[in-house]
Amino acid sequence: IIPKKRSLMYTVLRKVKKRREGPLMTNKLIKKYLGKKCKVYSGSFGTSVKGKLKELEDNWLEVETSKGVELVNIDFIQNIKVL
């Protein structure tokens, strides 16, 4: 990893850890969208997952995509868009 990109990544991780004191996105908010086709964004990490939200357990969200099943940690979710 390029040193500048690595320092940016650590900065983002430190900010996320500071925000973890309070709930970022609660399970109640996400449970409304279970069974719907959505796009889940993780913001600064530049990733998004598009698919049907299947299950929510502890801090993990199971998303059924066209390629298979993916697990997303809800601590890093910044946005969920219903398609």
Side-chain angles (χ1 to χ4, degrees):
I1 299 177
I2 300 171
K4 187 171 184 166
K5 195 168 189 172
R6 180 181 292 156
S7 67
L8 176 64
M9 184 178 71
Y10 286 134
T11 303
V12 169
L13 289 174
R14 277 190 294 250
K15 286 181 182 179
V16 168
K17 284 182 182 179
K18 283 182 184 178
R19 287 192 286 169
R20 280 191 187 169
E21 294 170 1
L24 296 177
M25 188 171 286
T26 63
N27 290 352
K28 281 185 179 181
L29 288 173
I30 297 174
K31 283 184 180 179
K32 291 192 310 187
Y33 301 111
L34 289 179
K36 295 182 181 179
K37 188 167 180 153
C38 298
K39 190 166 188 180
V40 179
Y41 298 94
S42 63
S44 301
F45 296 101
T47 58
S48 63
V49 179
K50 187 177 182 181
K52 188 174 183 181
L53 304 185
K54 297 296 278 183
E55 189 177 345
L56 179 65
E57 200 170 308
D58 295 328
N59 272 359
W60 294 94
L61 177 64
E62 185 177 325
V63 183
E64 184 180 331
T65 65
S66 60
K67 296 179 183 178
V69 176
E70 292 191 35
L71 294 173
V72 179
N73 189 328
I74 67 169
D75 288 336
F76 297 101
I77 294 176
Q78 289 190 351
N79 189 12
I80 297 177
K81 181 178 181 181
V82 178
L83 302 175

